[in-house]
Amino acid sequence: MSLIEKPVETPERREFYEKIDSSSYTALWTVLSDIITPEPRSTCQSHLWHFDEAKAYLLEAGNLITAKEAERRVLVLENPGLRGQSRITTSLYAGLQIVMPGEVAPAHRHSQSALRFVMDGSGAHTSVDGERTIMQFGDFVITPPGAWHDHGNDSDQPMVWLDGLDIPIVSVFDASFAEEHHEDQQPITRQVEDSSWRFGANMLPVDYERTRLSSPIFNYPYERSREALAHLERQGELDPCHGIKMRYVNPVDGGWAMPTISPCLQLLPRGFKSQRYRSTDATVFVVTEGRGRSTIAGKTYEWGPRDIFVVPSWKAVTHEADSDAVLFSYSDRVCQEKLGLWREDRGNAIPL
Amino acid sequence: MSLIEKPVETPERREFYEKIDSSSYTALWTVLSDIITPEPRSTCQSHLWHFDEAKAYLLEAGNLITAKEAERRVLVLENPGLRGQSRITTSLYAGLQIVMPGEVAPAHRHSQSALRFVMDGSGAHTSVDGERTIMQFGDFVITPPGAWHDHGNDSDQPMVWLDGLDIPIVSVFDASFAEEHHEDQQPITRQVEDSSWRFGANMLPVDYERTRLSSPIFNYPYERSREALAHLERQGELDPCHGIKMRYVNPVDGGWAMPTISPCLQLLPRGFKSQRYRSTDATVFVVTEGRGRSTIAGKTYEWGPRDIFVVPSWKAVTHEADSDAVLFSYSDRVCQEKLGLWREDRGNAIPL
Amino acid sequence: MSLIEKPVETPERREFYEKIDSSSYTALWTVLSDIITPEPRSTCQSHLWHFDEAKAYLLEAGNLITAKEAERRVLVLENPGLRGQSRITTSLYAGLQIVMPGEVAPAHRHSQSALRFVMDGSGAHTSVDGERTIMQFGDFVITPPGAWHDHGNDSDQPMVWLDGLDIPIVSVFDASFAEEHHEDQQPITRQVEDSSWRFGANMLPVDYERTRLSSPIFNYPYERSREALAHLERQGELDPCHGIKMRYVNPVDGGWAMPTISPCLQLLPRGFKSQRYRSTDATVFVVTEGRGRSTIAGKTYEWGPRDIFVVPSWKAVTHEADSDAVLFSYSDRVCQEKLGLWREDRGNAIPL
Amino acid sequence: MSLIEKPVETPERREFYEKIDSSSYTALWTVLSDIITPEPRSTCQSHLWHFDEAKAYLLEAGNLITAKEAERRVLVLENPGLRGQSRITTSLYAGLQIVMPGEVAPAHRHSQSALRFVMDGSGAHTSVDGERTIMQFGDFVITPPGAWHDHGNDSDQPMVWLDGLDIPIVSVFDASFAEEHHEDQQPITRQVEDSSWRFGANMLPVDYERTRLSSPIFNYPYERSREALAHLERQGELDPCHGIKMRYVNPVDGGWAMPTISPCLQLLPRGFKSQRYRSTDATVFVVTEGRGRSTIAGKTYEWGPRDIFVVPSWKAVTHEADSDAVLFSYSDRVCQEKLGLWREDRGNAIPL
């Protein structure tokens, strides 16, 4: 069964392999079982990063380099199984960014989609396409591909957020473009909250024509998203695997808010213990509220507020909440759905 | 400008990098300019493989290993800039498969999409989902993700075709599943050409509901595709970059015939010399008819029937045809379009 | 030019017409210019209904018949040019419904889509699919095709709203189904506002699958919609024909909130005078706030709060606001867009 | 139950009705059961037109009026239940057009979609958008909304085809535009069959952008469509209600070939007797080959080549074929699907 085993190597074969190698050929049968696997089999590992440690490092970084010199003062969360690749999963990037009071992270733009999920502090701002949003704890903010964006912190505290990007996806397609703005901060031409009201009130300008795949909503405030979860909890319909899990939506088409990244927010009510679940989209979780634990392929991770953990593709996961817990998450599910690759499996029959 | 340059490394910084490394962190500013580049900047190179050499190797392989032992007796076309990765571009795989008279390449299925483009010989067959197609020179055949497929050669000649797959794409998403059929050849339950008539006659069964993203047409015969190009040539509207270039279509939605791969056939009339063109989808070309040359980022490749060459992402290309030439090609454009990454540039102002 | 003029009638022709008539044939040339017209040319007229008069009639009706005996106690607004057809435009129905304190309008369902726009009173409720919404002034409420719905008034005042339905559309397609519920009021199984939070917070349940074309949001509260208009006014981008005009959106696909009816809310700032505009979707306007006037094909209608007026297809219209004015409107634009019929024309060059 | 019964009329009520009538109001409860019916209940009737009689009338018309004077020399097939309305169903128009040798039906364009189905003679032509198609028996030809079109007959025989249009649909939306071309015949700028090869070979020009909702294929030749049915018959999967029924497809999106009309071709193998079926799309059938009979709501119609019959909305129909029979049909199903109205019911449990 050569999808699983490799044919034996004989001297004649070895000689042949060497001969064709110089003409840029390889014999498929020597690699087939590595590149087409019976199940997802990357080296991506489950892992949890404690926020307290991360924050300490970030503050230390704040003394080592300015945001301006660094372009972005970010610590990349590297998956222990994918070191040196700046990836938290095979397809996604995660980093923790700190902006110190008075600092600016200068304006640039790139093909990569980015999300910001605010983890610590409040009052810093991000600007996109002439609109500025003030970021509060738990806000989910999008900086779309190709859009100029810069950050600044006018508050008196360091501010920390998670950056989620699709860098490895853009890399595999070899489609990266990036550019610096000639000014550190782009000019502001729109009212604060303009996009929220223009696109987020279940109405759209009557003749609006979309200009990009990404959601035109800039900031999905935590206050509103959290309230939605609370209302749905009252209705009491819990998904056995997810509790109450909502996806952030692009109001223009009802699809995922981002073209390459699938962001979600979910509530695990106190005492909830989820059924086993696995899917092909390796997922990054950020604990927003509450304490509990998740077991990933048999290994248990205790988590509390602001901790970050990652579940690899096709690994069984269960969650357990000691108090009402809220998890923000993101994965590449939207890509896999568009490309016909996404698959999930639910129920306690899943092997550990 | 740290999107381009890296900050200097100081002893304090180096110490910090080492400290955080053990907690699975990396400082973004040490890698940023490598992972978010101003333009596509992979190591993928332009290259041309001569069919004659390939055929000789394939026949040699025919004596070294059976199709059955090899699962598929294929020589992978490895991009010289991406050796050891079984890739012809950063996102795509290409191989040349030979099936000897009387042989069978046993039935299996996998998440990866595959195309076959028939290059040499005729009369072998591929079976998918209970339907068998007889393959002739130039036919474009799809084996969709998840579909059982096997090949056999009842003719008296070796048969060679190009395999194009999305293996690196499935890898980056860590979503590979594969399975062997319990029989070498799946049972045949449908008439030859059933899918061509059922889905390819500009009609669809009135209550047809799609079951997959891939086109339900199994074989796009060269005879018909070539005739379409000939008719359009008569109308005389040449695209300055492409001559007459048609994409194979999924009749169910008018989109690309495959969910992850964009196959095209194009005619360059004798004497045609194309304008400079570049796009973010690195492209594999197979010469079907005619002779000419393509210049890729300043390097010229002379080509004739059955040669294969690859154009990397964002490299300028021009084609020149000495006789009416037909090129089959495939790329990841469909993925990039769905994900919002695809970009093209046309005209002689493109830098070489 | 026979698209415009009819051929002369001769005795031979007349004889022929009579002969074929008995076999259910008609000569096209005798009717062609009536059925395919150079421009929209129905008998639909512009008209304005004053709310005060309507309310007086409604209260009178309240003494004449119970909601239960009437099924719905509604006065149909019949277009003066389409009397006897229960239509306010060629394709749409409008009625004013009154529910007296303590009354119930019994549960039924039908193929016809219905919207409710609350005009007077507050605190009555509508129930759809087990969810109840409390209706306040200006709320836009949907009762989708095929959904059980009933109304009740637990307040101490009569409550009046506008009903907008697609009855003539369903008639031309001969696709009407209707059914009475066995109970006057359907059982309530969902929390108040459940659909608003489940579908209206720019999030959707992660595995939600749509079950109908209509928006799953039940009530679009005026408070939020009005606030959106106010925010956009601050940004100061006025459409010369529409002021600030927003369409109510189905969050599942970003399309119109209803499959056959296009509901909008628009703000005309004090002193705004619109450019001439015409479109093929005859439109019903309800004045929500403010005073002003609209000129339709040269005829001017003064309006104030709660008045209702109709603009026929392809008639030039301008609006003028004496105070900040808000207009709710609905038309068949969504149908015309889906069917490829919709057309608009803007600018003062439009003939009166 | 007032969806079914009307409330009694009292003198007070009658007085009220008269009073409100002058202000353009009507009491809904006096008409409700007529406009929202429990089931489709139009006056549309089943009917069959014999081609022989029609042809005789058409030839007679050929002597009464020229194509040019008539604009189009057409006998409208008026539904016996909808006389005076130029409709074959509540939403669709059908006519039989004759073009005599040497005649021209002059160029015009209109919002209404038109299909031509060739019934008698061969060799006349239709031109659309600079392309001319030669029409053969059984060809299905589209003249899209807004496209200039003219017909001519260079053969030596009268030519007859069926015209199917959406005139009543355009009327209900009050969106009719029409225009005469300044020349009888538009200039020809494209090769014969250009659109067939450009759009119909399961390929599309790589950068094609659609310009209309209608299919860009101009002529769906009977030869190819008939062959598709024959191939599918060989596979032997018969739908119990439809035999083998295929819909003509727009290759750009896989949807119906026309934006408002659903054209199909179906094969009833010799001896086939269908199960009872009903749907909300009243359907016009044209017998292309074979003999048999259809029973519609208990009434049986015997048919042979070129006969035309109509099945009203929601009436039970069965077909029985004495020889291999081919039926072309068209209905408004595409509209009803887009608007959420379409419903079907299959099986012998359907009441007659």
Side-chain angles (χ1 to χ4, degrees):
Chain A
M1 304 263 272
S2 2
L3 269 179
I4 293 155
E5 289 171 40
K6 293 179 191 180
V8 292
E9 201 171 287
T10 64
E12 296 75 22
R13 288 176 179 175
R14 198 170 313 123
E15 188 185 352
F16 178 71
Y17 303 155
E18 279 160 20
K19 181 168 58 178
I20 63 174
D21 179 78
S22 62
S23 297
S24 295
Y25 294 104
T26 292
L28 175 62
W29 56 90
T30 65
V31 295
L32 178 57
S33 61
D34 299 324
I35 60 178
I36 295 189
T37 59
E39 289 205 352
R41 213 172 65 187
S42 77
T43 58
C44 180
Q45 296 177 15
S46 62
H47 192 68
L48 181 144
W49 289 261
H50 286 290
F51 184 75
D52 291 345
E53 184 190 44
K55 175 110 185 245
Y57 287 151
L58 285 164
L59 290 171
E60 198 173 329
N63 295 322
L64 269 184
I65 194 167
T66 64
K68 183 141 185 186
E69 188 190 355
E71 179 85 15
R72 295 293 186 265
R73 194 196 294 101
V74 172
L75 297 187
V76 181
L77 282 64
E78 278 203 342
N79 191 289
L82 303 165
R83 293 310 307 269
Q85 302 181 43
S86 306
R87 311 183 178 198
I88 191 164
T89 71
T90 53
S91 67
L92 292 170
Y93 161 101
L96 287 169
Q97 177 161 185
I98 189 164
V99 182
M100 303 301 284
E103 273 193 335
V104 164
H108 63 205
R109 61 177 181 177
H110 41 65
S111 308
Q112 288 79 5
S113 284
L115 69 84
R116 322 292 167 184
F117 188 77
V118 182
M119 298 189 63
D120 200 44
S122 85
H125 57 261
T126 291
S127 301
V128 163
D129 283 350
E131 183 178 338
R132 175 167 289 185
T133 194
I134 309 303
M135 297 159 87
Q136 313 293 347
F137 175 75
D139 288 359
F140 159 60
V141 172
I142 300 175
T143 57
W148 294 112
H149 57 282
D150 51 85
H151 312 289
N153 187 350
D154 297 335
S155 82
D156 56 1
Q157 294 182 316
M159 185 142 178
V160 177
W161 61 75
L162 179 93
D163 289 328
L165 284 91
D166 57 1
I167 295 171
I169 296 169
V170 176
S171 288
V172 82
F173 294 117
D174 204 4
S176 175
F177 294 88
E179 205 179 343
E180 308 268 347
H181 202 282
H182 62 280
E183 291 180 293
D184 277 357
Q185 296 194 284
Q186 63 184 298
I188 299 306
T189 58
R190 307 197 75 80
Q191 304 279 317
V192 171
E193 294 200 325
D194 182 74
S195 68
S196 299
W197 288 106
R198 193 175 297 272
F199 304 112
N202 300 315
M203 307 180 90
L204 286 174
V206 68
D207 292 317
Y208 176 69
E209 290 186 22
R210 76 187 303 169
T211 56
R212 51 167 62 119
L213 293 184
S214 214
S215 170
I217 298 178
F218 180 9
N219 186 341
Y220 293 74
Y222 189 60
E223 189 183 350
R224 186 164 170 78
S225 303
R226 181 67 182 84
E227 196 176 350
L229 294 180
H231 272 271
L232 267 60
E233 190 188 7
R234 229 162 287 152
Q235 181 65 33
E237 293 163 4
L238 293 182
D239 178 279
C241 295
H242 301 311
I244 292 166
K245 187 169 186 178
M246 307 277 283
R247 59 181 179 87
Y248 293 93
V249 163
N250 181 345
V252 173
D253 60 13
W256 294 95
M258 303 176 71
T260 51
I261 301 182
S262 293
C264 287
L265 195 71
Q266 88 194 83
L267 174 67
L268 309 174
R270 180 183 172 158
F272 177 79
K273 189 170 184 333
S274 75
Q275 254 182 23
R276 220 169 285 169
Y277 178 81
R278 60 178 174 178
S279 61
T280 53
D281 56 319
T283 303
V284 180
F285 287 90
V286 180
V287 182
T288 305
E289 298 177 29
R291 297 194 167 276
R293 69 203 55 74
S294 297
T295 301
I296 306 167
K299 189 165 175 191
T300 298
Y301 297 87
E302 299 284 334
W303 40 254
R306 294 177 169 78
D307 289 343
I308 297 165
F309 61 95
V310 59
V311 179
S313 170
W314 214 236
K315 296 299 183 223
V317 65
T318 56
H319 305 295
E320 198 174 342
D322 296 337
S323 52
D324 275 12
V326 178
L327 305 179
F328 172 82
S329 63
Y330 70 100
S331 78
D332 62 19
R333 177 169 164 179
V334 56
C335 295
Q336 294 200 37
E337 286 178 345
K338 288 175 182 171
L339 304 182
L341 296 171
W342 190 72
R343 201 188 277 202
E344 70 173 342
D345 198 359
R346 36 173 68 223
N348 289 322
I350 297 171
L352 262 198
Chain B
M1 305 265 270
S2 3
L3 269 179
I4 294 155
E5 290 171 40
K6 293 180 190 180
V8 292
E9 200 171 288
T10 63
E12 294 75 22
R13 288 177 179 175
R14 196 170 315 121
E15 189 185 348
F16 178 70
Y17 302 155
E18 280 161 19
K19 182 167 58 178
I20 63 174
D21 179 78
S22 61
S23 296
S24 295
Y25 293 103
T26 292
L28 175 61
W29 56 89
T30 64
V31 296
L32 179 56
S33 61
D34 298 325
I35 60 178
I36 296 191
T37 59
E39 289 204 353
R41 213 172 65 188
S42 77
T43 58
C44 180
Q45 297 176 14
S46 61
H47 192 70
L48 182 144
W49 290 260
H50 286 290
F51 185 74
D52 290 346
E53 184 190 46
K55 175 110 186 246
Y57 287 151
L58 285 163
L59 289 171
E60 198 174 339
N63 295 322
L64 269 182
I65 193 166
T66 64
K68 183 142 186 186
E69 189 189 355
E71 180 85 16
R72 295 294 185 264
R73 194 197 293 104
V74 173
L75 297 188
V76 182
L77 282 64
E78 279 204 340
N79 191 289
L82 303 164
R83 294 308 309 269
Q85 302 181 43
S86 307
R87 311 182 178 198
I88 191 163
T89 70
T90 54
S91 66
L92 292 171
Y93 161 101
L96 288 169
Q97 179 161 184
I98 189 164
V99 182
M100 303 301 285
E103 272 193 337
V104 164
H108 64 202
R109 61 177 182 177
H110 42 65
S111 308
Q112 288 80 4
S113 284
L115 68 85
R116 322 292 167 185
F117 188 77
V118 181
M119 297 188 65
D120 200 45
S122 85
H125 57 261
T126 291
S127 301
V128 164
D129 283 350
E131 183 178 339
R132 175 168 288 186
T133 194
I134 309 302
M135 298 159 88
Q136 311 294 346
F137 175 74
D139 288 358
F140 159 60
V141 172
I142 299 175
T143 57
W148 294 114
H149 55 281
D150 51 84
H151 313 289
N153 187 350
D154 297 334
S155 82
D156 55 1
Q157 293 181 317
M159 185 143 178
V160 177
W161 60 76
L162 178 94
D163 289 328
L165 284 92
D166 57 1
I167 295 171
I169 296 169
V170 177
S171 289
V172 81
F173 294 116
D174 205 3
S176 175
F177 293 88
E179 203 179 344
E180 308 267 349
H181 202 282
H182 63 279
E183 290 180 293
D184 277 358
Q185 295 195 284
Q186 63 184 299
I188 299 306
T189 58
R190 308 197 75 79
Q191 304 280 316
V192 171
E193 294 200 323
D194 182 74
S195 67
S196 299
W197 288 105
R198 192 174 297 272
F199 305 112
N202 299 314
M203 308 180 90
L204 287 174
V206 69
D207 293 316
Y208 176 69
E209 291 186 22
R210 75 187 304 169
T211 55
R212 49 167 64 119
L213 294 183
S214 213
S215 170
I217 297 178
F218 180 10
N219 186 340
Y220 293 74
Y222 189 62
E223 189 182 352
R224 186 164 171 80
S225 304
R226 182 65 182 85
E227 196 175 350
L229 294 180
H231 272 270
L232 267 60
E233 190 187 8
R234 229 163 287 151
Q235 181 64 33
E237 295 163 1
L238 293 183
D239 178 279
C241 295
H242 301 309
I244 291 166
K245 187 168 185 177
M246 306 277 282
R247 59 181 180 86
Y248 294 92
V249 162
N250 181 344
V252 174
D253 59 14
W256 294 95
M258 303 175 71
T260 50
I261 300 181
S262 293
C264 288
L265 195 70
Q266 88 194 84
L267 175 66
L268 309 174
R270 179 182 174 160
F272 178 79
K273 189 171 183 333
S274 74
Q275 255 182 22
R276 221 168 285 167
Y277 178 82
R278 60 178 175 180
S279 62
T280 53
D281 56 318
T283 303
V284 180
F285 288 89
V286 180
V287 182
T288 304
E289 299 178 30
R291 296 193 167 276
R293 68 203 55 77
S294 297
T295 302
I296 306 166
K299 190 164 174 190
T300 299
Y301 297 86
E302 300 283 335
W303 41 254
R306 294 178 169 79
D307 290 342
I308 297 165
F309 61 95
V310 59
V311 179
S313 171
W314 214 236
K315 297 298 183 221
V317 65
T318 56
H319 306 295
E320 199 175 341
D322 296 337
S323 53
D324 274 12
V326 179
L327 305 179
F328 172 82
S329 64
Y330 71 101
S331 78
D332 60 21
R333 177 170 166 178
V334 57
C335 296
Q336 294 199 39
E337 287 178 345
K338 288 176 184 171
L339 304 182
L341 296 170
W342 191 72
R343 201 188 275 201
E344 69 173 344
D345 198 0
R346 35 173 68 222
N348 288 322
I350 297 172
L352 262 197
Chain C
M1 304 262 273
S2 1
L3 269 179
I4 293 154
E5 290 171 40
K6 292 178 190 180
V8 293
E9 199 170 289
T10 62
E12 295 75 21
R13 289 176 179 176
R14 196 171 314 121
E15 190 186 346
F16 177 70
Y17 302 155
E18 279 162 18
K19 183 167 58 178
I20 63 174
D21 179 77
S22 61
S23 296
S24 295
Y25 293 104
T26 293
L28 175 61
W29 58 88
T30 66
V31 295
L32 179 56
S33 61
D34 299 324
I35 60 178
I36 296 190
T37 60
E39 288 204 353
R41 213 172 67 186
S42 77
T43 58
C44 180
Q45 297 176 15
S46 61
H47 192 68
L48 181 144
W49 289 262
H50 286 291
F51 184 74
D52 290 345
E53 184 190 46
K55 173 109 186 246
Y57 288 152
L58 284 165
L59 289 171
E60 199 174 329
N63 294 322
L64 268 182
I65 194 167
T66 63
K68 180 138 190 190
E69 188 190 353
E71 181 84 16
R72 296 294 185 264
R73 195 197 293 102
V74 172
L75 297 188
V76 182
L77 281 65
E78 277 203 343
N79 191 289
L82 303 164
R83 294 307 308 269
Q85 301 180 44
S86 307
R87 309 182 180 199
I88 191 163
T89 70
T90 53
S91 67
L92 293 170
Y93 162 101
L96 288 168
Q97 178 160 184
I98 190 164
V99 182
M100 305 299 286
E103 271 193 338
V104 164
H108 64 203
R109 61 176 182 177
H110 42 65
S111 308
Q112 287 80 5
S113 284
L115 68 85
R116 323 292 167 183
F117 188 75
V118 181
M119 298 188 65
D120 201 45
S122 85
H125 57 261
T126 291
S127 301
V128 164
D129 282 350
E131 182 178 338
R132 175 168 289 186
T133 194
I134 309 302
M135 298 158 88
Q136 311 294 347
F137 175 74
D139 288 359
F140 159 60
V141 172
I142 299 175
T143 57
W148 294 114
H149 56 282
D150 51 84
H151 313 289
N153 187 350
D154 296 335
S155 82
D156 56 359
Q157 294 180 317
M159 184 141 179
V160 177
W161 61 76
L162 178 94
D163 289 329
L165 283 92
D166 58 0
I167 296 172
I169 295 169
V170 176
S171 288
V172 81
F173 293 116
D174 204 2
S176 174
F177 294 88
E179 204 179 344
E180 309 267 348
H181 202 281
H182 64 279
E183 290 180 292
D184 278 358
Q185 296 193 285
Q186 63 184 297
I188 299 306
T189 58
R190 308 196 74 80
Q191 304 279 316
V192 171
E193 295 199 322
D194 181 75
S195 68
S196 299
W197 288 106
R198 193 174 297 271
F199 304 111
N202 300 314
M203 306 180 91
L204 286 175
V206 69
D207 292 317
Y208 176 69
E209 291 186 21
R210 75 187 303 169
T211 55
R212 50 167 64 118
L213 293 183
S214 214
S215 170
I217 298 178
F218 180 10
N219 186 342
Y220 294 73
Y222 189 61
E223 189 183 350
R224 186 164 170 78
S225 303
R226 182 65 182 84
E227 196 176 350
L229 294 180
H231 272 270
L232 268 59
E233 191 188 7
R234 229 163 287 152
Q235 180 65 32
E237 295 163 2
L238 293 183
D239 178 279
C241 294
H242 301 309
I244 291 165
K245 188 169 185 178
M246 306 277 283
R247 59 181 180 85
Y248 294 92
V249 162
N250 181 344
V252 174
D253 60 13
W256 295 95
M258 303 175 70
T260 50
I261 300 181
S262 293
C264 287
L265 196 70
Q266 86 195 88
L267 174 67
L268 310 173
R270 179 182 173 161
F272 177 79
K273 191 172 182 330
S274 75
Q275 254 182 22
R276 220 169 284 168
Y277 178 81
R278 61 179 174 177
S279 62
T280 53
D281 56 319
T283 303
V284 180
F285 288 90
V286 180
V287 182
T288 305
E289 298 177 30
R291 295 193 169 277
R293 68 203 56 75
S294 298
T295 302
I296 307 166
K299 190 166 174 189
T300 297
Y301 296 86
E302 300 284 334
W303 41 254
R306 294 178 170 78
D307 289 343
I308 297 164
F309 62 94
V310 59
V311 179
S313 170
W314 214 235
K315 296 298 183 221
V317 65
T318 57
H319 306 295
E320 199 175 341
D322 296 337
S323 53
D324 273 13
V326 178
L327 305 180
F328 172 82
S329 64
Y330 70 100
S331 78
D332 61 21
R333 177 170 165 178
V334 57
C335 295
Q336 294 199 40
E337 286 178 346
K338 288 175 183 170
L339 304 182
L341 296 170
W342 191 73
R343 202 188 275 202
E344 70 174 342
D345 199 359
R346 36 174 67 223
N348 288 321
I350 299 172
L352 263 196
Chain D
M1 306 262 270
S2 0
L3 270 178
I4 294 152
E5 290 171 40
K6 293 179 191 181
V8 291
E9 199 170 289
T10 63
E12 295 75 22
R13 288 176 178 177
R14 197 171 311 122
E15 190 186 347
F16 177 72
Y17 302 155
E18 280 161 17
K19 183 167 57 177
I20 64 173
D21 179 76
S22 61
S23 297
S24 295
Y25 293 104
T26 293
L28 175 61
W29 57 89
T30 65
V31 295
L32 178 57
S33 61
D34 299 325
I35 61 178
I36 295 188
T37 59
E39 289 204 351
R41 212 172 67 186
S42 76
T43 58
C44 180
Q45 295 176 16
S46 62
H47 192 69
L48 182 144
W49 289 261
H50 285 292
F51 184 74
D52 291 346
E53 185 191 44
K55 174 110 186 244
Y57 287 151
L58 285 164
L59 289 171
E60 199 173 329
N63 295 322
L64 269 182
I65 193 167
T66 64
K68 180 139 190 189
E69 187 190 355
E71 180 85 15
R72 295 293 185 265
R73 194 197 293 102
V74 172
L75 298 187
V76 182
L77 282 63
E78 279 204 342
N79 191 289
L82 303 164
R83 294 310 307 271
Q85 303 181 41
S86 307
R87 309 182 179 199
I88 192 163
T89 71
T90 54
S91 67
L92 292 171
Y93 162 101
L96 288 169
Q97 178 161 183
I98 190 165
V99 182
M100 304 300 285
E103 272 192 337
V104 164
H108 63 203
R109 61 176 182 179
H110 42 65
S111 309
Q112 287 80 5
S113 284
L115 68 85
R116 323 291 167 185
F117 189 76
V118 181
M119 298 188 63
D120 200 45
S122 85
H125 58 261
T126 291
S127 301
V128 163
D129 283 350
E131 182 178 337
R132 176 168 288 185
T133 193
I134 309 302
M135 299 158 86
Q136 312 293 348
F137 175 74
D139 288 359
F140 159 60
V141 171
I142 300 176
T143 57
W148 294 113
H149 56 281
D150 51 84
H151 313 288
N153 187 350
D154 297 335
S155 82
D156 57 359
Q157 293 182 319
M159 184 141 178
V160 177
W161 60 76
L162 179 93
D163 289 329
L165 283 91
D166 57 1
I167 296 171
I169 295 169
V170 177
S171 288
V172 81
F173 293 117
D174 204 3
S176 175
F177 293 88
E179 205 178 344
E180 307 268 348
H181 201 282
H182 62 281
E183 291 180 293
D184 278 358
Q185 295 194 285
Q186 63 184 297
I188 298 306
T189 59
R190 307 197 75 79
Q191 304 279 317
V192 171
E193 293 199 324
D194 181 76
S195 68
S196 298
W197 288 105
R198 193 174 297 272
F199 305 111
N202 300 315
M203 308 180 91
L204 287 175
V206 68
D207 293 316
Y208 176 69
E209 290 187 22
R210 74 188 303 170
T211 56
R212 50 167 64 118
L213 294 183
S214 214
S215 171
I217 298 178
F218 180 10
N219 186 340
Y220 293 74
Y222 188 61
E223 190 183 350
R224 185 163 170 81
S225 304
R226 182 64 183 86
E227 196 175 349
L229 294 180
H231 273 271
L232 268 59
E233 190 188 8
R234 229 163 288 153
Q235 181 65 33
E237 295 163 2
L238 293 182
D239 178 280
C241 294
H242 301 310
I244 292 165
K245 187 169 187 177
M246 306 277 282
R247 58 182 180 85
Y248 294 93
V249 162
N250 181 344
V252 173
D253 60 14
W256 295 95
M258 302 175 72
T260 50
I261 300 180
S262 293
C264 287
L265 195 70
Q266 87 195 86
L267 174 67
L268 310 173
R270 180 182 173 162
F272 178 78
K273 190 172 182 331
S274 75
Q275 253 183 22
R276 220 168 285 168
Y277 178 81
R278 61 179 175 178
S279 62
T280 53
D281 57 319
T283 303
V284 180
F285 288 90
V286 180
V287 182
T288 305
E289 298 177 29
R291 298 195 167 275
R293 69 204 54 76
S294 298
T295 302
I296 306 165
K299 191 166 173 188
T300 297
Y301 296 86
E302 299 284 334
W303 41 254
R306 295 178 168 77
D307 289 342
I308 297 164
F309 61 95
V310 59
V311 179
S313 170
W314 214 236
K315 297 298 183 221
V317 64
T318 57
H319 305 295
E320 199 176 341
D322 295 338
S323 52
D324 274 12
V326 178
L327 305 179
F328 171 82
S329 63
Y330 70 101
S331 78
D332 60 22
R333 178 170 165 177
V334 56
C335 296
Q336 294 200 38
E337 286 178 345
K338 288 175 183 171
L339 304 182
L341 296 170
W342 190 72
R343 202 188 276 201
E344 70 173 342
D345 198 359
R346 35 174 67 224
N348 288 322
I350 298 171
L352 262 197

